[in-house]
Amino acid sequence: MELSNIEKLLEKYFEGKTTISEEKELKVYFTRETVSPHLEHYKSMFQYFSEESTITATRDFKIKPKKKTRYAWVGIAASVVLIAGIFMSDINKPSESIDTYEDPEIALQETKKILKMVSSYMNEGKQELVYLKKFENTKNKFIK
C-alpha cells in the first residue's frame, strides 16, 4: 500500500500538485536506507534536497538602497525646460499671416520649383533602394 502511495505522490510531485506535507513524506521515504529498486534513481535527488535545505548563509548581506535623487532632478529639469519651451513658442508667433508673394501665379511657380527640388532629392534616395531589392532576391534564393 505504501509503495503505490509513494508512486502517486511522485506523479503529483512532478506535476507540481503536492502539498508541503506530501513532499515531506516523499523526503522521509527517499532518505531511508531501503527504497524500492525501481524508485532508486529518485533517492539521490531527494537526498540532495534534504542536504541542501540544512545549509545556511554564513555572512550577513547588507543591501544599500539605490540613490534616486539624480533621476528626480533630471525629471524636474526636463519639466522646467518643457514648460519654458511652450511659453517661449507662444511669444514668437506672428500675430497675422504674412504672404511672401503678391501675385498668386508667382507663388504657384515658386511652389512648383520647390516641390520639383524635393522630388529630385527623394528620387536620389530611391535609387539606393535598388540594392536592397537585389539583396532581398538573393536572400530569398538562399532560403528556398
Side-chain angles (χ1 to χ4, degrees):
M1 179 63 186
E2 182 180 310
L3 186 58
S4 63
N5 186 26
I6 294 296
E7 289 172 351
K8 288 178 185 177
L9 285 177
L10 272 175
E11 287 179 28
K12 283 177 64 177
Y13 180 78
F14 288 120
E15 290 174 3
K17 298 179 180 178
T18 55
T19 62
I20 303 259
S21 61
E22 290 172 336
E23 289 180 14
K24 284 181 182 178
E25 188 178 335
L26 284 172
K27 282 182 185 178
V28 167
Y29 176 78
F30 283 107
T31 52
R32 295 189 322 197
E33 291 295 323
T34 58
V35 177
S36 179
H38 71 283
L39 299 176
E40 188 73 34
H41 55 280
Y42 295 120
K43 184 175 182 177
S44 60
M45 179 178 71
F46 282 99
Q47 284 179 345
Y48 173 78
F49 290 152
S50 64
E51 289 172 7
E52 291 297 314
S53 67
T54 60
I55 296 176
T56 59
T58 57
R59 187 170 69 161
D60 291 333
F61 291 101
K62 295 181 181 177
I63 299 174
K64 296 179 182 177
K66 293 182 180 180
K67 295 182 179 179
K68 295 184 182 181
T69 56
R70 290 185 202 164
Y71 299 114
W73 286 109
V74 170
I76 293 169
S79 301
V80 169
V81 169
L82 183 66
I83 292 170
I86 290 171
F87 284 119
M88 291 298 206
S89 66
D90 287 343
I91 293 172
N92 294 331
K93 281 188 180 178
S95 59
E96 59 186 57
S97 64
I98 301 172
D99 293 333
T100 56
Y101 296 102
E102 295 285 329
D103 188 12
E105 289 296 322
I106 295 174
L108 178 65
Q109 290 173 359
E110 288 296 318
T111 303
K112 284 182 180 179
K113 186 170 85 173
I114 291 172
L115 288 175
K116 187 175 182 181
M117 182 182 67
V118 169
S119 174
S120 67
Y121 287 133
M122 293 290 283
N123 288 334
E124 282 180 18
K126 188 177 174 183
Q127 291 171 356
E128 301 296 325
L129 294 176
V130 173
Y131 298 116
L132 288 176
K133 185 69 174 172
K134 288 180 183 177
F135 176 75
E136 184 72 22
N137 291 338
T138 307
K139 182 188 78 163
N140 288 337
K141 285 179 185 177
F142 282 116
I143 290 174
K144 289 179 184 178

